[in-house]
Amino acid sequence: MLRKLTPFLFAMMAASLTVAAQDPKPAKVPDKEVAERIDVLGECVKDRKMERDIEARDHIDFLLVKLQGGLCEKDQSAVTKAFETVLFKGKVRPPQKMHLYTATVVALGFCGEDGAKVLEKAYDSKRFPDKKPWLPLREQILKSVGKTKDESKIKFLLDEARRNPEDA
C-alpha cells in the first residue's frame, strides 16, 4: 500500500511547489531600487541623441524581472507609467531603431489590464503610424495586448483582425 501511495505523495508535493513558485507574493513595501531604475529610465528616454537606448533597454529588463517577481501595487503602477513614458515621451526613434519600443511593448504585455490600456493607446496613436516601416512594432503591440489576458480587449483585437487589410 505504501508503495502505491509514495509516488502519489511526491507528485502532489511537486505540484504544490510548482503552483507556489508560479504565483509570487506581492511585496508590501515599495522597492527603492525600482524607483531609482524608473528615474534613470526616464533620463535615458529623454536623451535626444538616442545614445542611451541600450542602457534603457537594460533598465526595462530589470523592471520586468522585478514585476514578475512581485511588486506592491504602487510599484506596479509606477512601472507601467514608466513604460508608458518610454512609448510617448522623448524624441521619436526612427523605425530602424525601434528596439527600445519593442522591449517596452513586450514588457507591457506582462502588466495586465493597465498594460493593455497603454498598448491600445499606443496602437491608436499617431506616434506609430499605420505605415509599412512601423508594421513590426504594431504587430508586436497586438501580440502583447493578447498576452495581457485582459478580456475587455478581445473586441479590439477581433476588430483589428477583421477590418485591417495589413498583417498588423
Side-chain angles (χ1 to χ4, degrees), residues 77-130:
S77 64
V79 167
T80 304
K81 288 281 187 191
F83 292 157
E84 183 177 11
T85 301
V86 172
L87 290 176
F88 294 108
K89 303 290 183 193
K91 184 178 179 182
V92 178
R93 273 68 177 159
Q96 299 82 15
K97 295 185 177 182
M98 71 172 94
H99 59 273
L100 179 63
Y101 294 141
T102 305
T104 305
V105 165
V106 170
L108 279 167
F110 293 96
C111 291
E113 292 178 9
D114 295 335
K117 290 176 188 173
V118 174
L119 288 166
E120 184 178 6
K121 182 179 166 186
Y123 190 83
D124 292 335
S125 77
K126 294 180 181 179
R127 189 169 173 105
F128 310 113
D130 190 12

Side-chain angles (χ1 to χ4, degrees), residues 44 50-57 93 97 99-100:
C44 293
M50 298 177 270
E51 294 173 348
R52 297 181 67 186
D53 282 0
I54 294 174
E55 180 185 348
R57 205 170 54 190
R93 273 68 177 159
K97 295 185 177 182
H99 59 273
L100 179 63

Side-chain angles (χ1 to χ4, degrees), residues 8-76:
F8 175 73
L9 289 175
F10 281 127
M12 291 303 292
M13 285 184 359
S16 66
L17 290 175
T18 305
V19 169
Q22 290 176 353
D23 191 20
K25 303 273 187 214
K28 294 182 180 180
V29 295
D31 191 350
K32 292 180 182 180
E33 191 174 10
V34 170
E36 292 170 2
R37 292 285 185 126
I38 288 173
D39 292 339
V40 175
L41 178 62
E43 293 170 8
C44 293
V45 170
K46 292 177 186 174
D47 181 25
R48 302 216 26 100
K49 295 183 180 179
M50 298 177 270
E51 294 173 348
R52 297 181 67 186
D53 282 0
I54 294 174
E55 180 185 348
R57 205 170 54 190
D58 292 339
H59 292 298
I60 291 169
D61 289 340
F62 173 82
L63 291 171
L64 180 59
V65 168
K66 283 289 204 175
L67 185 67
Q68 290 175 335
L71 292 173
C72 69
E73 286 286 325
K74 185 178 178 182
D75 281 346
Q76 286 178 354

